[in-house]
Amino acid sequence: MQPKNTHFKHCSSIEALRHEVCDAIVKSANEAIAQRGQFSIVLAGGNTPRAIYRLLRDLPMDWTNWHIYHGDERCLPREHEDRNSLMVEQVWLHYVGIPANQIHDIPAELGPIAGAKAYAETLAGVPTFDMVLLGLGEDGHTASLFPNHTVDNSADAVPVFNSPKPPPERISISQNRLNDTREVIFLVTGVGKQQAVDQWRSGVAIPATLILPKNGVDVYCYEVVLD
Ligand code: 6PG
């Protein structure tokens, strides 16, 4: 049976998905800033969100109250082409006026243990996130929470070793800390994600099912059959 409070949304095209997610981010940001004076968003890594970040670049937005976090990061040098933080900088953050001290990259260049410790200290003073964006791997992983990989969920950020998705060493925000958010949006595109989505919808425990904050999650899907 489909997990409760998990809303799978079929998007008619990849452009529709990108614009619907971009609109949802803007709506959440405007509400958060109006109600609390700031908007904190945790960004997804990987390829799917790139075009959404590119859409955000052109918005007529007052960026000064945005706070940026990352759901996970690969343990690579900061300028390595596979860094999630570099991707986000190149397609979006370089072009908008979010204050540098409000962009919180994961210091994954320090390595998994030192980097996770440092990021946990960064997150320690951060209240409930307003929004968390997440991708989904073909094996059901999300952020860098992988099947058959146990992490210390009492920590806000955790080291990951032997990741099945290269590189092997990563840092992830933990399941518990990712769940401390007002909204979660998953971005799921490509036929390769079908099995993971089928498992998810039939109640099979994959890492993505660990992410279930009190307000539930929205899963935007394209090229994935939901009938
Ligand atoms: C990463 C991501 C990872 C990603 C999924 C989906 O650092 O690799 O955080 O969790 O979101 O693997 O990746 P795609 O969007 O490229 O399919």
Side-chain angles (χ1 to χ4, degrees), residues 45-49 72 74 84 135-137 141-143 165 170 193:
N47 297 317
T48 303
D72 70 331
R74 297 94 178 266
N84 289 326
L136 179 71
H141 79 257
T142 192
K165 178 177 182 182
R170 293 160 164 258
K193 313 293 175 76

